[in-house]
Amino acid sequence: MSRGRPSLADVRQQFEPLSIDLRGRSTPRQRCRFCGSDVVDLIDRLKEHLIKCVDFPANLKESLDLTTSKFRKNNLQSLDQLTDQTDDETQSTLDKVDIDRKLAKFFYSAGIPFTAIENPYWLDFIQTILPAYNSPNRRNLANNLLDAEYQVERQNLDKVLNNASNITLVSDGWSNIRRESVLNFILCLPKPIFYDAKYTGSESHTAEYIYNEFKSIIEDIGPSKFAGVLTDNASAMRSAWKLLNQDYPRLICLGCNAHIGNLLIKDILKLDWVERSMNQAKQIVNFFRTHHQAESILLNQLNTITLVQPVETRWGTCLDSIQSIRRCKLGLQMSVVQPEVSSKMTHDLKEQILGDLLWANLEALDYFLTPFVKLIRLFESDTPLLSYIYEEWRQIRESINAQVLDLNFKMKVHRLIDNRFEFAFHPAMAIANLLDPNFHGKSLGPTDFETIIIPYIEKVYTFEEAAHIYGVMQKYIAKTDEFSGALLWASIEYSSPISWWKSNFTHKFPVVVELACRVLSIPTSSAAAERNWSNFGFIHSKLRARLNNNRVKKLVAIYQNLRIHKEVKEDNWFEEDEV
């Protein structure tokens, strides 16, 4: 005998009304008598819940008509499809594993705390758009989903490394939010990829310790795949280079050229005229930054963000500070005559701002420092620019000569430039400038080939290889034999230096091509490792200070590498909506 269509009351009998919603929601809700879940009191929602409720008896499920009046497009299955699922399947047609993974990748790539996934408004949102989906909890995000995604990232990295060559290992040190010491290890392929981080604990960062850490990574990946190692210029790092070169003579170990540029500006800021002008600029910035009323008046005059504070250790920011003052000249002069500002400012500082000498000095200092800051910002690029170092330092010297400055001052600056360049110098810089067909060694001195390049080649290559390299270089320099074609040299405009060497000479001069690719693949600074600390700071912030170190490392690896895969600009995700 036919049972007939049960009434809607039969469905609601499986629930009990909630008189008070502890979470403050106004929509009436019912609580399932079998699993205890609370559901919005809409008949379709109640039926959908009973369909997927694992505690709801199968015989009752068969006795009730649980067909919903409509389905949400792309999210719900028909009743026949739902009832065909096995008991182990917890979502209708949704692939829960795939959705969980994509949701987790969103959390990891945006640096969102795990607890956000249990936020009641998030749960309401998911319940509204995907009623059949159960969002993972914070423990899932922090453990199995994180481990799985990290494993995927490591597998992807292994695939990349299998095909990689001329890798540069970049490393830097840092202290996290708990003041624990960390070393990071970035691989430049040339695009930087986070490889690993080491929490050093009580270990001292000696040359031997650093050497062993570098060697472990080099051996794991394969020594033949590495072109160089790039670090800061600390004495322990430089000593570690020597130990590495004993094991790997062809490994090119360099210090950060952007750091050298910053140190050069620091040296220059100690010179009399520069120091006086910079101190005046700092007094102006400090006054307006420490007097909120004066700063407010200045802001009203300009209707924009105003003065830039120089950052310690980032000496290039002194130029940003000077330029911000010059842009605000009219606003500053209008502000200092206001009684509220004039009464709190010293007479000397007020006279400087209203006079002409300060502005003449700041203009000259702006013009003087600009080439040095351009050099730093060029070297902070992730693009391999080792061949540019000779040329950029040469242009710095020429820019000093072209400026109207006191001769003694110029001589002091030239000595500072020479000292810093000598400190940063490695023969690979000369070789890169020579073997980059864009330069063809034009930035080298007349004796650099015989006194710098050849001795280095003889040191790291066998006699037969060195003789071969010497012979090929002579033809390359003279543009004879295989290097004589006009089309050959014109073609450099349409390819990179590495592609130029590989496409034209891989089979003819493999040893020279290997050397060219090696020196032309190395970046000029450790900026990639320093930027990685921004990712560490973003992930391991004050709000997430309790994250354990192993979990932080995994999150940083996923966060950085996912953003590289999608080529997401770091500033675009939040700032436009949060201004």
Side-chain angles (χ1 to χ4, degrees):
M1 182 175 178
S2 175
R3 211 175 36 236
R5 180 181 177 87
S7 68
L8 299 183
D10 292 335
V11 173
R12 284 200 166 89
Q13 285 177 2
Q14 318 308 320
F15 298 85
E16 56 185 16
L18 283 176
S19 57
I20 299 177
D21 188 348
L22 297 179
R23 286 158 63 185
R25 294 166 295 198
S26 58
T27 305
R29 304 180 76 86
Q30 300 267 2
R31 173 162 293 164
C32 179
R33 298 180 183 274
F34 301 94
C35 68
S37 299
D38 60 308
V39 185
V40 174
D41 189 12
L42 298 174
I43 191 61
D44 280 354
R45 294 289 182 84
L46 299 176
K47 289 180 178 181
E48 288 162 7
H49 174 79
L50 293 177
I51 289 171
K52 64 181 181 179
C53 180
V54 295
D55 296 324
F56 187 51
N59 61 326
L60 287 178
K61 190 177 294 187
E62 292 175 0
S63 67
L64 294 177
D65 182 1
L66 298 179
T67 305
T68 58
S69 60
K70 61 178 181 178
F71 295 126
R72 289 169 177 80
K73 189 175 181 180
N74 297 328
N75 290 339
L76 297 176
Q77 289 181 314
S78 67
L79 178 61
D80 290 339
Q81 291 172 313
L82 286 167
T83 53
D84 286 338
Q85 290 182 313
T86 63
D87 291 339
D88 293 333
E89 292 175 322
T90 58
Q91 309 303 327
S92 51
T93 56
L94 301 175
D95 185 347
K96 179 169 169 54
V97 173
D98 185 55
I99 294 176
D100 284 353
R101 184 189 170 201
K102 289 178 178 176
L103 177 61
K105 286 171 73 172
F106 164 69
F107 270 72
Y108 305 149
S109 66
I112 300 174
F114 301 139
T115 52
I117 205 165
E118 295 180 353
N119 184 292
Y121 296 103
W122 166 261
L123 296 175
D124 282 349
F125 170 72
I126 289 295
Q127 183 66 25
T128 301
I129 63 169
L130 292 173
Y133 176 65
N134 287 325
S135 178
N137 58 36
R138 61 186 176 88
R139 292 181 180 82
N140 297 140
L141 274 183
N143 293 290
N144 56 312
L145 288 172
L146 178 63
D147 293 341
E149 189 58 37
Y150 181 70
Q151 187 64 32
V152 170
E153 284 301 312
R154 296 301 296 186
Q155 291 171 355
N156 291 338
L157 179 59
D158 289 342
K159 292 177 184 177
V160 172
L161 293 178
N162 285 337
N163 299 318
S165 61
N166 294 312
I167 301 169
T168 301
L169 173 59
V170 183
S171 182
D172 192 32
W174 186 64
S175 294
N176 69 8
I177 190 68
R178 295 195 293 257
R179 301 185 61 80
E180 297 168 316
S181 181
V182 197
L183 286 175
N184 66 358
F185 304 100
I186 309 296
L187 302 179
C188 291
L189 309 173
K191 181 177 289 187
I193 294 178
F194 177 79
Y195 182 74
D196 200 5
K198 180 68 176 289
Y199 290 84
T200 58
S202 60
E203 292 283 352
S204 179
H205 292 185
T206 63
E208 186 73 25
Y209 178 81
I210 295 167
Y211 155 75
N212 286 327
E213 293 298 324
F214 288 168
K215 183 174 182 179
S216 174
I217 294 173
I218 291 170
E219 290 295 329
D220 285 346
I221 297 173
S224 63
K225 290 184 174 291
F226 281 88
V229 170
L230 194 57
T231 68
D232 61 28
N233 295 281
S235 58
M237 290 292 187
R238 299 176 80 90
S239 297
W241 301 348
K242 295 177 181 179
L243 297 174
L244 286 170
N245 281 142
Q246 292 176 7
D247 296 333
Y248 317 106
R250 297 185 187 181
L251 190 69
I252 298 168
C253 299
L254 299 171
C256 175
N257 282 273
H259 181 227
I260 294 295
N262 266 295
L263 293 177
L264 175 59
I265 292 180
K266 180 183 178 182
D267 296 338
I268 291 171
L269 290 173
K270 296 177 182 177
L271 299 179
D272 292 341
W273 164 68
V274 179
E275 186 176 29
R276 284 197 306 272
S277 300
M278 198 63 229
N279 284 338
Q280 290 174 337
K282 288 179 179 178
Q283 286 177 9
I284 295 171
V285 175
N286 288 337
F287 174 82
F288 282 92
R289 295 292 292 270
T290 56
H291 294 78
H292 74 276
Q293 189 177 23
E295 186 175 32
S296 177
I297 291 172
L298 179 59
L299 285 170
N300 290 335
Q301 297 287 349
L302 299 171
N303 195 28
T304 183
I305 296 174
T306 55
L307 303 177
V308 176
Q309 183 83 25
V311 179
E312 290 294 330
T313 73
R314 297 290 181 181
W315 304 105
T317 59
C318 290
L319 178 63
D320 299 328
S321 181
I322 292 167
Q323 290 176 341
S324 73
I325 294 172
R326 293 188 63 206
R327 286 194 299 269
C328 298
K329 177 181 177 180
L330 181 60
L332 287 166
Q333 291 179 334
M334 294 174 64
S335 299
V336 298
V337 298
Q338 301 291 327
E340 299 91 342
V341 178
S342 180
S343 62
K344 298 177 182 177
M345 180 178 285
T346 64
H347 177 75
D348 288 345
L349 185 57
K350 178 181 176 181
E351 290 300 313
Q352 289 172 12
I353 293 173
L354 294 175
D356 296 327
L357 182 59
L358 169 69
W359 302 105
N361 285 336
L362 291 182
E363 181 180 6
L365 191 55
D366 184 347
Y367 183 64
F368 172 70
L369 289 178
T370 294
F372 295 95
V373 175
K374 284 184 177 178
L375 177 138
I376 293 172
R377 289 173 181 167
L378 176 68
F379 289 163
E380 285 177 338
S381 167
D382 293 329
T383 305
L385 297 172
L386 201 62
S387 59
Y388 284 67
I389 290 180
Y390 253 82
E391 180 64 15
E392 292 302 319
W393 284 92
R394 182 185 67 80
Q395 290 184 12
I396 283 285
R397 295 184 180 94
E398 289 183 355
S399 73
I400 301 302
N401 293 333
Q403 296 187 40
V404 181
L405 297 167
D406 178 74
L407 181 59
N408 288 331
F409 178 79
K410 285 186 178 182
M411 292 176 64
K412 290 179 182 178
V413 174
H414 276 296
R415 282 196 293 270
L416 293 175
I417 292 172
D418 292 341
N419 289 339
R420 287 301 177 184
F421 179 73
E422 182 180 349
F423 183 71
F425 179 73
H426 188 283
M429 299 173 183
I431 298 172
N433 187 269
L434 175 63
L435 295 183
D436 186 336
N438 291 298
F439 294 108
H440 196 238
K442 72 175 183 180
S443 309
L444 303 181
T447 62
D448 286 352
F449 182 72
E450 292 80 11
T451 60
I452 296 173
I453 295 176
I454 295 306
Y456 178 78
I457 298 300
E458 292 176 334
K459 178 181 177 182
V460 302
Y461 286 91
T462 65
F463 181 80
E464 292 77 11
E465 289 173 329
H468 171 70
I469 293 171
Y470 178 82
V472 174
M473 282 185 171
Q474 290 286 10
K475 293 190 287 184
Y476 169 79
I477 293 170
K479 295 186 178 180
T480 58
D481 298 338
E482 293 89 343
F483 297 94
S484 62
L487 286 177
L488 174 69
W489 291 97
S491 68
I492 186 56
E493 184 178 350
Y494 305 99
S495 64
S496 69
I498 291 177
S499 298
W500 187 84
W501 277 101
K502 283 185 173 182
S503 61
N504 292 303
F505 303 108
T506 294
H507 301 295
K508 296 177 183 177
F509 311 122
V511 177
V512 178
V513 170
E514 184 271 338
L515 173 61
C517 293
R518 179 181 291 267
V519 297
L520 295 173
S521 297
I522 299 175
T524 52
S525 78
S526 59
E530 294 179 17
R531 283 192 288 270
N532 179 246
W533 295 132
S534 298
N535 296 338
F536 266 87
F538 177 63
I539 297 296
H540 203 182
S541 63
K542 290 181 179 179
L543 297 178
R544 307 180 77 185
R546 294 175 60 189
L547 280 172
N548 71 58
N549 292 335
N550 189 49
R551 192 166 285 149
V552 170
K553 184 171 69 173
K554 292 177 181 178
L555 286 169
V556 170
I558 295 168
Y559 174 80
Q560 179 161 332
N561 294 344
L562 280 178
R563 293 167 78 88
I564 289 173
H565 297 332
K566 292 290 188 182
E567 297 183 345
V568 177
K569 292 183 180 180
E570 297 204 3
D571 294 338
N572 283 357
W573 282 36
F574 307 105
E575 291 188 356
E576 291 182 1
D577 292 334
E578 296 185 0
V579 172

